């Protein structure tokens, strides 16, 4: 099955689009599947749409008119990126659009709702295939966290390795937020958001440069700065880091207001390189703590993906902390999965599962309440039921029993369209 996936991460740095072939290798009702990437790229947002999305992500209030405009423009740009990739791949059978997350509502330690934008009808209209979207809400409605979803992919991918080695295998995705997955030797899964990855670093750089620079390119700022230990200790004292599992978070929790308040409490006024070095250390420390302490056994290695893998300072810091505990750190690139596009593969896999009616059993989902993820936007010519040429009229039965029986008596009124 050829599936196209679309998503834009919490940093709003572009549209990740991929086309993936996912095919069963046997005819059982629980097959091993083979995944073959066909196309994978990142397409830049237009400046105008990105500005709207960033304003919304950063908490600016939008009028209904502004929200509709943003949702529509994002959907159109997703559709354009999808159309180019689908044509290059020779067509697709299904599209999965995660959309752009604006807010992940967490209250009393649990997810209560989530909002992604990018109207999928534009994608369905452009591609002429069904589009699966809103892939987190069903799990939240069933009592789960709706995040992270990466554990679905990693359990299928790495359970065999963990069983052979008799030790857990960890994966880390360093997007705007960091998520950690631990695949246990018995097939068990631990998965949760550990805290910020690139979000605070990117925000600090963007603010200091007036938006001219949106990230710590090549980790150069962190490499030239010094960690402010007082500020780091204050940030590490945030209650999220000690909260019990399962848990999820987002930019609405970890933003610059949090950093500024922590700096004010300890009287710190770090220069930009020192602030970036401190925030880089915060990510490395919290990710490493999550990897080493979440399972009864320390994992043999941590396989890292996401945009943070392109930051040498962050990868060095993470490897140094985990190395103290005997955990080797490697990029997913070394294992044949492009670190920039692993999430794209995940969403294609989610589409395959949902298309075939497989519920997503996540660590935060209550027992027995795993749900098939997503909602489906039909393609212009798709028909899930029996195809009709139209409806000739509508009858209203005075007695509901007559309507059930299909009895067309004189006490019915017929409305002709």
């Amino acid at each position: 099955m050829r599936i196209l996936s679309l998503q834009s991460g919490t940093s709003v740095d572009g549209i990740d689009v991929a086309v993936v072939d996912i095919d069963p290798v046997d005819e059982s009702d629980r097959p091993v599947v083979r995944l073959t990437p066909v196309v994978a790229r990142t397409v830049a947002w237009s400046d105008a749409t990105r500005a709207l999305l960033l304003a919304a992500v950063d908490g600016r209030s939008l009028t209904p008119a502004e929200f509709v405009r943003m949702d529509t423009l994002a959907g159109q740009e997703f559709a354009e990126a999808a159309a180019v990739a689908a044509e290059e791949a020779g067509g697709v059978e299904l599209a999965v659009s995660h959309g752009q997350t604006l807010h992940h509502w967490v209250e009393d330690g649990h997810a209560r709702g989530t909002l992604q934008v990018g109207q999928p009808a534009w994608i369905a209209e452009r591609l002429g295939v069904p589009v699966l979207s809103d892939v987190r809400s069903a799990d939240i409605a069933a009592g789960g966290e709706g995040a992270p979803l990466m554990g679905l992919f990693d359990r299928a991918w790495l359970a065999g390795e963990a069983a052979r080695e008799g030790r857990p295998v960890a994966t880390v995705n360093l997007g705007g937020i960091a998520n950690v997955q631990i695949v246990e030797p018995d097939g068990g899964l631990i998965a949760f958001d550990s805290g910020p990855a690139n979000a605070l670093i990117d925000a600090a750089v963007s603010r200091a440069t007036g938006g001219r620079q949106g990230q710590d390119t090549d980790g150069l700022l962190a490499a030239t700065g010094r960690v402010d230990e007082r500020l780091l200790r204050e940030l590490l004292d945030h209650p999220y880091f000690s909260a019990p599992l399962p848990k999820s978070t987002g930019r609405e929790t970890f933003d610059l207001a949090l950093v500024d308040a922590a700096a004010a409490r300890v009287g710190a006024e770090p220069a930009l390189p020192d602030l970036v070095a401190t925030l880089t250390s915060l990510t490395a420390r919290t990710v490493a703590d999550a990897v080493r302490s979440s399972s009864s056994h320390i994992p043999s290695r941590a396989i890292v993906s996401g945009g943070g893998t392109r930051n040498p300072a962050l990868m060095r810091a993470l490897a140094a902390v985990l190395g103290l505990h005997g955990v080797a750190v490697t990029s997913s690139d070394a294992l044949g999965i492009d670190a920039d596009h692993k999430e794209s593969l995940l969403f294609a896999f989610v589409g395959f599962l949902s298309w075939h009616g497989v519920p997503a059993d996540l660590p935060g989902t209550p027992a027995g309440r795993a749900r098939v993820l997503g909602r489906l936007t039909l393609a212009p010519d798709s028909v899930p039921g029996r195809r009709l040429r139209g409806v000739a009229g509508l009858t209203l039965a005075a007695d509901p029993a007559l309507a059930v029986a299909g009895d067309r008596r004189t006490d019915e009124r017929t409305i002709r369209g």
Side-chain angles (χ1 to χ4, degrees), residues 137-205:
S137 293
D139 183 64
I140 293 174
E145 295 296 313
L149 299 176
M150 187 61 77
L152 295 171
F153 184 99
D154 290 336
R155 178 168 50 199
W157 178 35
L158 296 169
E161 176 183 329
R164 287 190 301 272
E165 294 188 358
R167 289 182 66 184
V169 179
T171 70
V172 179
N173 189 66
L174 297 173
I177 297 298
N179 53 67
V180 171
Q181 291 70 223
I182 311 290
V183 181
E184 301 279 15
D186 63 359
L189 175 67
I190 301 167
F192 60 99
D193 292 336
S194 61
N198 302 310
L200 293 179
I201 299 169
D202 293 350
V205 173

Side-chain angles (χ1 to χ4, degrees), residues 203-220:
V205 173
S206 180
R207 182 174 68 177
T209 63
R212 294 185 303 277
Q213 185 176 337
Q215 61 183 11
D216 182 13
T217 304
D218 296 328
L220 294 178

Side-chain angles (χ1 to χ4, degrees), residues 232 280-292 298 313-329:
L232 178 60
T280 301
S281 182
L282 174 69
T283 294
R285 284 276 300 273
T286 52
V287 168
D289 286 348
V291 168
R292 69 178 180 81
I298 294 178
L314 177 55
M315 291 296 285
R316 283 195 301 270
L318 182 59
V321 180
L322 282 176
L324 297 174
H325 304 280
V327 181
V329 173

